Amino acid sequence: MSVNEEASQKIWLITGTSSGFGLRFVLSALRRGDKVIASSRTLESLQAVKWLDLLNDLGRKECDFEDTTGIGPKVDLDSNLRLMQLDVSWSTEAIHAKVNEALAIWGRIDILVNNAGIGLKALIEDASSKDFQYQFQINFFGAIDITNAVLSSMRARKSGTIVINGSRSSWKSEIPVTSLYASSKAALRVYSETLACEVDPFSIRVLILEPGAFRTEGILSQPYLNVHNPISDYDTVREKIMTIMKAADRKQEGDPNKAAELVVDIVRGEGKALREDGTVRDWPLYLPLGGDAVNDIRTKCRRMLDALDEWADVTTGLEITQ
């Protein structure tokens, strides 16, 4: 590897990589020649992944999306890939200890991708606060612990990128049984917005992904929450929405390979991150992924603007007067 290639080589820590977007982020980063620490809840799930076969298969499918890497599928896995057990439901202390192990592998982490997550399905009245707490631990609190564990080293180097995998669902939450998942992702987005302000003086970037429906091994395939006594008044709506989700699973229009390639392009400042003149586009705090995500976010913003306009005559002018 030349000096220039080594200088451009990034080190990634990615959570939730045994399937879904996480797995595809790993493949895309490896194809760029980067080093990746791929983590998951169990080491066995990572060891079961046929990484080299997937890389070769992705190389054969380059015609399905624009290959901007120039790398091809030949990757030295022994040098560039490390597998690590990291469960986001662990205690803060256990997560920090594991992240320190990750930092010791190659001496730094340039890019953290908080991708691990689950999508519990339940009507709000069927769920308990403990169900919400578990959902938030996986999708929200675990990401906070991992981010805090990485930040001190990024601040010391005044360099780093934190990618947060949010969801279009936090913008379109008016769907029965999605409240646990959508509210955890909404909290994650707001947390990330403040995080971006706080770490900007240290040249640390934050990127909030807002993916729509993509054909991954993910959220739609997860069953309804195991409820001891589901409320019978909701039987019709519960059955209807679960039937719709089951029918939509594995039929989503979004291509997760294309989305992963785009995200890695943006993080590395190449490919689709470039303008026609070859300059890098301005860094986006938010990155909606998929036409459905774009449309749903626009719809929510319009609803908020409509509310502002309709009620402006009575919601303003509420200041204290002398």
Side-chain angles (χ1 to χ4, degrees), residues 1-17:
M1 181 178 292
S2 69
V3 174
N4 288 338
E5 288 174 330
E6 187 172 357
S8 67
Q9 187 179 52
K10 304 300 181 184
I11 298 173
W12 301 63
L13 170 60
I14 308 174
T15 65
T17 61

Side-chain angles (χ1 to χ4, degrees), residues 167-187:
S167 174
R168 171 274 306 260
S169 295
S170 69
W171 297 85
K172 186 179 182 180
S173 53
E174 301 86 357
I175 301 175
V177 315
T178 66
S179 176
L180 286 84
Y181 176 73
S183 59
S184 69
K185 291 296 188 177

Side-chain angles (χ1 to χ4, degrees), residues 82-132:
R82 295 291 183 272
L83 306 181
M84 174 175 284
Q85 182 185 16
L86 199 171
D87 189 336
V88 293
S89 69
W90 285 347
S91 68
T92 299
E93 294 76 17
I95 287 176
H96 276 247
K98 186 59 68 169
V99 171
N100 286 336
E101 289 182 26
L103 284 164
I105 293 174
W106 288 304
R108 70 180 195 276
I109 292 170
D110 298 307
I111 302 150
L112 167 65
V113 182
N114 279 309
N115 170 75
I118 60 171
L120 297 183
K121 297 188 184 72
L123 292 158
I124 292 174
E125 201 172 350
D126 275 345
S128 69
S129 61
K130 289 184 178 179
D131 296 319
F132 275 88

Side-chain angles (χ1 to χ4, degrees), residues 120-277:
L120 297 183
K121 297 188 184 72
L123 292 158
I124 292 174
E125 201 172 350
D126 275 345
S128 69
S129 61
K130 289 184 178 179
D131 296 319
F132 275 88
Q133 288 168 13
Y134 180 71
Q135 176 71 93
F136 270 69
Q137 176 59 47
I138 304 300
N139 288 5
F140 182 63
F141 296 121
I144 292 173
D145 284 337
I146 293 171
T147 300
N148 283 347
V150 171
L151 272 177
S152 60
S153 65
M154 288 185 173
R155 280 192 290 102
R157 293 186 293 107
K158 289 187 168 48
S159 175
T161 299
I162 299 170
V163 180
I164 304 288
N165 201 0
S167 174
R168 171 274 306 260
S169 295
S170 69
W171 297 85
K172 186 179 182 180
S173 53
E174 301 86 357
I175 301 175
V177 315
T178 66
S179 176
L180 286 84
Y181 176 73
S183 59
S184 69
K185 291 296 188 177
L188 191 62
R189 182 181 72 247
V190 175
Y191 154 81
S192 302
E193 291 169 342
T194 305
L195 175 68
C197 295
E198 293 180 354
V199 301
D200 180 67
F202 306 103
S203 300
I204 299 171
R205 308 178 303 179
V206 175
L207 179 64
I208 307 171
L209 309 180
E210 305 283 20
F214 281 83
R215 200 171 299 181
T216 61
E217 315 77 19
I219 302 302
L220 287 183
S221 62
Q222 295 174 357
Y224 194 84
L225 192 70
N226 185 15
V227 179
H228 180 60
N229 287 310
I231 298 170
S232 59
D233 287 349
Y234 293 113
D235 285 350
T236 299
V237 66
R238 188 187 300 109
E239 180 179 352
K240 179 180 179 181
I241 193 66
M242 291 305 295
T243 299
I244 292 172
M245 288 187 173
K246 184 177 180 179
D249 190 32
R250 305 301 295 164
K251 297 182 179 65
Q252 301 95 324
E253 294 184 0
D255 184 334
N257 292 321
K258 290 181 180 179
E261 291 293 317
L262 172 61
V263 171
V264 177
D265 270 353
I266 291 171
V267 170
R268 288 182 53 85
E270 59 194 27
K272 292 185 177 179
L274 302 179
R275 301 186 182 94
E276 290 185 2
D277 62 3

